[in-house]
Amino acid sequence: MSTILAIDTSTEACSVALFYRNEITHDFMISARDHTKKILPMVDNILNQSGCTLSQLDAIAFAQGPGSFTGVRIGIGVAQGLALGIDKPMIGVSTLMTLAQGCYRTTGSTKVIPAIDARMGEVYLGQYQYQNQEWQAIIAECVIKPEYVKSKIQYIDNNYYLAGTGWQTYPNMLPEIKQSEVWLPEAQDLVVIAHKKWLKNDVVKVEDVEPTYLRNEVTWQKLPGR
């Protein structure tokens, strides 16, 4: 039975979840600019609440992106530090897939189109179907202008739901599709996906972790010293 800690600071939300003894304990808050101050106390609280220690963890899961450049880096940095300290592997999970899992949890929908507001007049976009107990990507996650979203999406039907802040910012991208109440990714959904990856040994070494930015030229400009 695995024990997995999940961390997500990829958006204005800050969340932590623990999969321990086949149960999920989680915490979530909106904290747009205080991720670095909030995340470690949240980790401590979850572990203490569950009676679990860091040394008992089998892996640490993290939001791989896309999302806020700073938020993704903070979450990965914290997760790497914790994983390095206990010499455990890591599990990366797409932020967009986490939104799909959140929509499945709240609506039961097995078809989800998540979109995150990427600023600069664009959104991060994905399209997923839940098949054989796993999320399958119908399109590769991408960064795209709102006016091109409709032509990018494939095989839309009435069973699809929308999730993520992209639909709040640009509500007319797919007005015919049902909007869920899932706006931000949550670690309680991330850890569900991470647990399935763990069972398949889909893990990564601390030194091999890579974020998903999708907008690499902007990332390069924003790196320290550039």
Side-chain angles (χ1 to χ4, degrees):
M1 189 179 297
S2 58
T3 302
I4 300 172
L5 177 72
I7 293 171
D8 189 336
T9 61
S10 60
T11 64
E12 54 266 43
C14 189
S15 63
V16 175
L18 178 68
F19 185 90
Y20 179 52
R21 294 178 176 173
N22 221 31
E23 294 184 356
I24 296 175
T25 309
H26 59 95
D27 193 9
F28 173 92
M29 67 171 64
I30 306 296
S31 179
R33 292 180 174 82
D34 290 331
H35 286 8
T36 53
K37 296 178 182 178
K38 301 293 187 183
I39 191 65
L40 284 174
M42 290 173 72
V43 168
D44 287 339
N45 288 339
I46 285 290
L47 292 172
N48 291 335
Q49 180 181 341
S50 302
C52 179
T53 65
L54 277 174
S55 62
Q56 290 176 272
L57 299 177
D58 294 305
I60 295 181
F62 64 95
Q64 196 165 358
S68 156
F69 298 123
T70 301
V72 170
R73 287 199 297 267
I74 289 171
I76 289 178
V78 170
Q80 280 181 309
L82 293 173
L84 188 63
I86 58 176
D87 192 24
K88 297 295 183 180
M90 299 178 67
I91 305 170
V93 177
S94 162
T95 310
L96 293 169
M97 189 179 291
T98 298
L99 282 168
Q101 179 66 32
C103 188
Y104 175 73
R105 172 175 54 84
T106 56
T107 70
S109 176
T110 58
K111 297 181 177 182
V112 185
I113 304 173
I116 298 172
D117 184 1
R119 313 300 182 189
M120 299 173 65
E122 295 177 317
V123 295
Y124 299 122
L125 180 74
Q127 182 180 1
Y128 297 92
Q129 288 188 18
Y130 194 61
Q131 298 173 329
N132 301 319
Q133 301 300 306
E134 289 187 341
W135 288 104
Q136 308 292 333
I138 304 302
I139 62 170
E141 54 190 25
C142 60
V143 59
I144 189 171
K145 291 187 177 297
E147 58 265 33
Y148 300 136
V149 165
K150 192 162 189 174
S151 61
K152 182 74 173 179
I153 296 300
Q154 300 182 18
Y155 315 121
I156 297 177
D157 61 40
N158 291 331
N159 295 317
Y160 268 100
Y161 271 82
L162 308 177
T165 56
W167 308 107
Q168 287 180 310
T169 308
Y170 304 103
N172 294 321
M173 291 189 294
L174 290 173
E176 69 274 23
I177 305 300
K178 298 183 290 290
Q179 173 68 64
S180 74
E181 296 301 316
V182 177
W183 305 114
L184 297 167
E186 296 191 34
Q188 64 170 317
D189 301 310
L190 190 158
V191 81
V192 171
I193 300 170
H195 178 246
K196 292 180 179 180
K197 286 192 164 194
W198 168 262
L199 295 176
K200 298 189 299 180
N201 197 35
D202 187 1
V203 301
V204 63
K205 295 178 181 178
V206 173
E207 61 269 25
D208 293 335
V209 166
E210 291 187 4
T212 300
Y213 288 128
L214 298 183
R215 197 189 271 150
N216 290 322
E217 70 279 5
V218 177
T219 306
W220 178 256
Q221 293 169 9
K222 286 178 175 286
L223 283 172
R226 297 293 173 189

